[in-house]
């Protein structure tokens, strides 16, 4: 784990951590409401590899109203950020019927479709309007 974080920028606390998380979403053209974080302990990012990690005090469940989708964010979230994509994502699950399959990848389609895809390890891919994940949603 420490090797993955080598050379990373680390921000501690809710305010600084949230700023870093939002700046990463902006920089990589991802919807700003994608990570509704609470009680952030630490956010880190290694520019050379794209590795990102987020530590929160407690698990957060957030309902994206526009698409009526409940998403669970674990206390530890990790993944690799690229332009319009987060891959090898861990710590995020979306409720599907009675199951909570983990989301392993998030891909924002190139404009003008305005769509975002969520892929799970179980092979499930769901596509939603990207603006359902805009800031404030």
């Amino acid at each position: 784990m420490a090797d993955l974080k080598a050379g990373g920028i680390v921000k501690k606390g809710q305010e600084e951590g949230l700023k870093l998380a939002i700046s990463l979403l902006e920089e990589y053209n991802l919807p700003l409401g994608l990570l509704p974080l609470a009680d952030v302990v630490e956010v880190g990012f290694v520019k050379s590899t794209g590795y990102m990690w987020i530590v929160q005090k407690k698990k957060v469940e957030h309902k994206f109203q526009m698409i009526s989708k409940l998403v669970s964010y674990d206390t530890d979230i990790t993944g690799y950020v690229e332009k319009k994509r987060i891959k090898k994502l861990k710590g995020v699950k979306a409720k599907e019927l009675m199951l909570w399959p983990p989301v392993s990848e998030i891909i924002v389609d190139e404009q003008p479709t305005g769509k975002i895809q969520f892929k799970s390890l179980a092979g499930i891919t769901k596509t939603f309007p990207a603006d359902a994940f805009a800031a404030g949603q």
Side-chain angles (χ1 to χ4, degrees), residues 63-96:
K63 184 163 190 172
F64 289 96
Q65 296 299 335
M66 190 187 283
I67 55 170
S68 297
K69 180 64 69 184
L70 192 61
V71 180
S72 165
Y73 296 85
D74 223 329
T75 52
D76 289 305
I77 301 165
T78 61
Y80 290 86
V81 184
E82 302 174 352
K83 191 167 173 57
K84 295 185 175 263
R85 166 186 245 182
I86 301 174
K87 61 184 186 180
K88 294 185 182 174
L89 185 62
K90 291 189 169 94
V92 178
K93 295 177 180 160
K95 190 160 191 193
E96 249 347 288

Side-chain angles (χ1 to χ4, degrees), residues 75-127:
T75 52
D76 289 305
I77 301 165
T78 61
Y80 290 86
V81 184
E82 302 174 352
K83 191 167 173 57
K84 295 185 175 263
R85 166 186 245 182
I86 301 174
K87 61 184 186 180
K88 294 185 182 174
L89 185 62
K90 291 189 169 94
V92 178
K93 295 177 180 160
K95 190 160 191 193
E96 249 347 288
L97 304 170
M98 303 303 287
L99 305 172
W100 284 89
V103 176
S104 59
E105 191 168 10
I106 299 172
I107 303 163
V108 177
D109 287 355
E110 290 299 326
Q111 293 299 358
T113 66
K115 299 283 186 198
I116 185 166
Q117 291 178 22
F118 294 81
K119 294 184 177 182
S120 79
L121 295 170
I124 301 167
T125 299
K126 292 281 181 183
T127 303

Side-chain angles (χ1 to χ4, degrees), residues 23-92:
S23 73
L24 288 174
L25 292 173
E26 279 177 342
E27 186 179 342
Y28 290 94
N29 297 334
L30 293 158
L32 299 186
L34 204 53
L35 299 169
L37 307 172
D39 292 331
V40 173
V41 176
E42 179 179 291
V43 175
F45 180 65
V46 181
K47 186 119 180 127
S48 60
T49 61
Y51 183 73
M52 163 210 68
W53 68 95
I54 298 166
V55 181
Q56 311 184 90
K57 285 184 188 150
K58 61 183 190 288
K59 197 165 113 172
V60 172
E61 282 190 0
H62 180 81
K63 184 163 190 172
F64 289 96
Q65 296 299 335
M66 190 187 283
I67 55 170
S68 297
K69 180 64 69 184
L70 192 61
V71 180
S72 165
Y73 296 85
D74 223 329
T75 52
D76 289 305
I77 301 165
T78 61
Y80 290 86
V81 184
E82 302 174 352
K83 191 167 173 57
K84 295 185 175 263
R85 166 186 245 182
I86 301 174
K87 61 184 186 180
K88 294 185 182 174
L89 185 62
K90 291 189 169 94
V92 178

Side-chain angles (χ1 to χ4, degrees), residues 12-20 40:
K12 303 270 187 190
Q14 173 74 15
E15 196 176 321
E16 291 301 309
L18 207 50
K19 271 187 204 162
L20 176 58
V40 173

